[in-house]
Amino acid sequence: MIIASNFKTNHNRQSTKEFVNFINSQNYFSEVRVYPPFTALGHFELTPNIRIGAQNFYPAQNGSFTGEIGFDQLEEFEVESVLIGHSERRHIFGETQESICKKYDFAKGKESEIIYCVGEPKEIREQGIEAVMSYIWEQFDGIDIDYDELVVAYEPVWAIGTGLSASLEDIKEVLDRLRMRIKSPLLYGGSVKVETTKDILSIENCGGILVGTASWSVENFSKMIEISDNI
Ligand code: PEP
């Protein structure tokens, strides 16, 4: 199981250090991922099942891209995992499928783990599962789904940061359909809480969770990992 925490624009260097060191000291055996803000990346001594990742990057090793972070900067901190296609990048920052593919291909060329996020907005969900799946499959246009280091996160846009999680049935239906074409681990993300972690992780084809809000407290995130360890 992969239990991942997306800090978004939360935590600073000190609180990230405390968070990561605490998780590392617990001897969990689930696969744990933490995506802090760039400014809180650092040199952490971690057990192999824990990885620090980047929420974003510019698809270049280095160069003249004012304000951006390339792979030279990520490699300095041994970043081994990146998020691509997160709905906040797609919808708030207007990332197109074309720009997402450039990032994907770049990270793939670097053999980085990629958590690739897909998910439908509310108006598509209201049209039913066929509309949802055709929307989601379009988000795989140009994406190499056979990449060995790919992890897919199903994250309905309307469930992210809203407190409204998708139902267990809806999650299962989408993950089952993704599984027909995708062999990589499949995660669910969207207002996961400690109380809902066990049921979500128990869904067939669910290989873990990507968590924002509820994971920013190390106590909550630890409880989620413990639940995963016990499944
Ligand atoms: C996310 O940022 O990927 C996410 C799922 O956020 P939240 O848990 O806050 O919905």
Side-chain angles (χ1 to χ4, degrees):
M1 291 276 177
I2 298 174
I3 309 298
S5 172
N6 176 11
F7 280 11
K8 310 194 192 195
T9 318
N10 299 282
H11 279 292
N12 55 29
R13 288 182 71 73
Q14 185 58 30
S15 64
T16 298
K17 209 163 129 190
E18 287 164 11
F19 186 111
V20 171
N21 287 339
F22 179 79
I23 297 295
N24 194 49
S25 69
Q26 299 302 299
N27 298 318
Y28 295 128
F29 54 86
S30 293
E31 288 292 321
V32 177
R33 305 288 181 267
V34 178
Y35 299 85
F38 288 133
T39 54
L41 291 174
H43 296 285
F44 301 102
E45 297 224 345
L46 302 174
T47 55
N49 59 318
I50 303 180
R51 290 185 188 179
I52 299 298
Q55 299 173 23
N56 187 31
F57 61 95
Y58 188 79
Q61 190 65 28
N62 51 40
S64 298
F65 307 104
T66 302
E68 297 292 331
I69 300 290
F71 256 72
D72 261 0
Q73 290 76 45
L74 298 188
E75 284 165 359
E76 182 182 6
F77 298 111
E78 292 115 31
V79 165
E80 295 176 297
S81 180
V82 291
L83 296 182
I84 299 180
H86 191 280
S87 82
E88 286 156 13
R89 302 286 333 159
R90 292 181 192 264
H91 297 283
I92 301 176
F93 300 104
E95 285 193 10
T96 61
Q97 191 61 23
E98 195 188 354
S99 64
I100 286 169
C101 287
K102 279 191 188 138
K103 289 188 181 184
Y104 191 93
D105 288 343
F106 195 88
K108 181 182 145 194
K110 301 301 295 185
E111 299 178 358
S112 170
E113 176 182 74
I114 298 174
I115 296 198
Y116 185 65
C117 306
V118 296
E120 81 289 355
K122 191 161 179 277
E123 62 276 16
I124 301 291
R125 168 53 65 182
E126 286 164 356
Q127 292 168 32
I129 185 67
E130 298 306 332
V132 168
M133 291 315 297
S134 78
Y135 187 94
I136 289 175
W137 288 125
E138 277 180 24
Q139 294 180 316
F140 283 100
D141 279 354
I143 297 296
D144 174 11
I145 58 171
D146 294 320
Y147 177 46
D148 279 343
E149 294 296 321
L150 168 63
V151 174
V152 170
Y154 168 52
E155 299 208 302
V157 178
W158 49 272
I160 297 181
T162 58
L164 293 173
S165 177
S167 69
L168 297 174
E169 294 71 30
D170 287 345
I171 300 170
K172 179 175 171 9
E173 188 159 36
V174 171
L175 296 187
D176 285 351
R177 286 174 182 238
L178 287 171
R179 176 56 76 228
M180 287 176 195
R181 289 198 216 166
I182 294 173
K183 63 177 188 326
S184 311
L186 302 174
L187 314 186
Y188 169 74
S191 296
V192 178
K193 300 183 182 70
V194 174
E195 305 77 52
T196 56
T197 296
K198 187 169 179 217
D199 287 345
I200 292 172
L201 291 180
S202 303
I203 296 172
E204 196 189 344
N205 287 324
C206 183
I209 46 177
L210 174 55
V211 193
T213 318
S215 71
W216 301 335
S217 127
V218 74
E219 291 77 19
N220 282 348
F221 191 53
S222 302
K223 283 184 194 154
M224 291 173 173
I225 304 168
E226 275 163 30
I227 291 168
S228 160
D229 273 8
N230 286 321
I231 281 182

